Amino acid sequence: MKPLTLKLVKKPEVDIDLSPLTPDGLAGKTLKEIRNIKLDASGQRVRVGDLFEVTGGDKQHIQIRRCSRRLTHIGNAMVQGSIEVHGHAGDYLGRHMGGGRISVHGDTADWAASGMRSGRIDISGDAGDYLGAAPPDERFGMVNGLVTVWGSAGDRIGDRMRRGQILVYCNAGNYIGSRMVAGTILVLGRCGRYPGYRMKRGTIILRGSLQQLSPGFRCCGYLKMEFLRLLFRQIAKMGRRFAFFREFGPEVRRYAGDLSTDGKGEIFILQNARM
Amino acid sequence: MKINGVAIDDTFAEAFPMKATRIIITAMSLKWAYRAANSLTGFASSVIACGCEAAIERDLPPQETPDGRPGIAVIIFAMSTKQLQDQVTKRVGQSVMTTATSACFAGTYSDRMISLGKGLRYFGDGHQISKVFRGVRYWRVPVMHGEFLCEETTGVVPAIGGGNFIVMAKTARHGLAACERAIKAIDRVHGAVTTFPGGVVGSGSKVGSKYSFMMASTNEAFCPTLKGEVKNSLLTDEIGSVLEIVIDGLSEDAIKEAMHAGISAICRFGPGKGIYRVSAGNYGGKLGPHHFHLREIMG
């Protein structure tokens, strides 16, 4: 059966909340019912059928074509199935996601994977700020799951992150892993200022050099962290695209902190990670 | 039934249900992984007094281990899950964690998981770090050699203990030469191990004793020095030494395969090289639900 395809036919002028359009939300619905679903468009109501050309039938696999940054909350709280996004996605992609998989063939705006509980998000372009971070009214950011970004990511990614992994292939902005509670953030490109600012636990792994480190971190010297072998092997098993992780060694320069919050987090600077 | 002139008795080995887990030990080199595994499986020949039965299953090349280092798979058997838990925690804590550069991972997964690193993490005295990769939790315990990495739990699976066969030979030298070949053949079977020293039991036992405080005592029916003395001796004149190979396994099929491999290796020696008969130990079929009939297995 062909995936359920939602092709954007009308460019939205305001943000439109796509929360209802998940594999769970659409299960058991006919195409007619799906077209009649009303979406929140910044206070207005808009019919799915007026916004998208809806074809296909497999609601476990949803494709959104010609996606726009105005389309927010894609895959909100989904727990199964997959969503494939062609184009750029708006804020809050995969928010509170509890399972399944989202693939974005483009960029995402801010707050992607915020409050994510499980599952996997792959972003082939760039991610905005606050990836996997906690909004001000929530205690934790990403709680579990895996996010891969093949471009760059913005500031404060993994803010108050509780568990899970964020992998950024290119560069990351300032304050990554700030107030982090646990989890792992891996950045293979350059990293901005103050990674791990006020982090309590968790691991930030950087391949490039450090720009500026918070004064609450102390250097533990050059070490072999054997668990990195396990981590890199696990990542390498995720697909051919990740195979280069097999070549990464466990040699790191380790910084412990943030001691200003009595934190037990760590920042690794990889010493043997040729790509 | 005779194979290469070696008589196969029309009898069966009687085996018991056990609980087991497989763990994978890795280290900087196979030598150090072996030292950890050797220590862990020490004094683990029989549940009668050791608390568990344990043995090395096989060496693992780096591509088969979770962290890409050389490793060794070990299987530990016990009579209950509680007993297994107790033994795993003690043995991994004292033998694996204390071995330099070692790490420890689960080798079996099931609905019933027991602690592996879950209890050992407290050795970190608050400095331990938890990591969850692909739904599996690992503990990083800072130790003097660096970090001891240990998976949180390992799976308990139903297993079988006490598969066996008895080799009757001209002398102990003849018997051991054949048994060493049999052990090599059994080592190639996955999911089956021989837990006694060198895989061979030199003092096979029967259940009970004339002494009330003894759970097990010598099996006089197979003692060559008693063959003229006891009425129930099962030995003929030419037999001067009897050795037993006891096999524990994760399934009936694994034990059958191991028994077939072992007995085949034994029979290749033949009477010319001092091997006369192969039998098996049982208790009349009343105690253990698993019966391994020699002639069926070798048929």
Side-chain angles (χ1 to χ4, degrees), chain A residues 120 144 163-165 182-184 202-203 224-227 229-231 233-234 237-238 254 264 266 268, chain B residues 62-69 101 105 125-127 129-134 137-138 140 146-147 149:
Chain A
R120 178 169 166 178
N144 210 341
R163 207 179 290 117
Q165 292 164 53
T184 305
T203 306
K224 254 189 181 183
M225 303 304 297
E226 295 295 343
F227 96 95
R229 293 180 195 271
L230 178 75
L231 173 68
R233 275 179 74 84
Q234 298 274 352
K237 281 181 190 168
M238 293 194 310
R254 183 177 189 264
K264 290 178 178 172
E266 57 191 356
F268 294 154
Chain B
Q63 56 270 26
E64 285 187 41
T65 62
D67 63 357
R69 299 191 299 169
T101 76
F105 305 97
D125 202 21
H127 301 285
I129 296 171
S130 148
K131 281 284 159 204
V132 180
F133 302 136
R134 300 178 118 186
R137 186 183 294 280
Y138 300 87
R140 296 166 50 199
E147 266 189 346
L149 178 64

Side-chain angles (χ1 to χ4, degrees), chain B residues 107-161:
Chain B
T108 45
Y109 295 89
S110 69
D111 295 337
R112 182 75 178 91
M113 302 296 280
I114 55 169
S115 303
L116 189 61
K118 198 175 182 177
L120 299 176
R121 74 178 195 261
Y122 296 110
F123 185 73
D125 202 21
H127 301 285
Q128 66 271 21
I129 296 171
S130 148
K131 281 284 159 204
V132 180
F133 302 136
R134 300 178 118 186
V136 179
R137 186 183 294 280
Y138 300 87
W139 285 99
R140 296 166 50 199
V141 182
V143 289
M144 288 163 65
H145 72 70
E147 266 189 346
F148 174 62
L149 178 64
C150 193
E151 199 164 326
E152 181 169 69
T153 55
T154 182
V156 178
V157 293
I160 300 165

Side-chain angles (χ1 to χ4, degrees), chain B residues 41-58:
Chain B
T41 56
F43 189 58
S45 51
S46 167
V47 283
I48 293 174
C50 305
C52 73
E53 298 180 5
I56 291 171
E57 184 189 21
R58 65 187 180 107

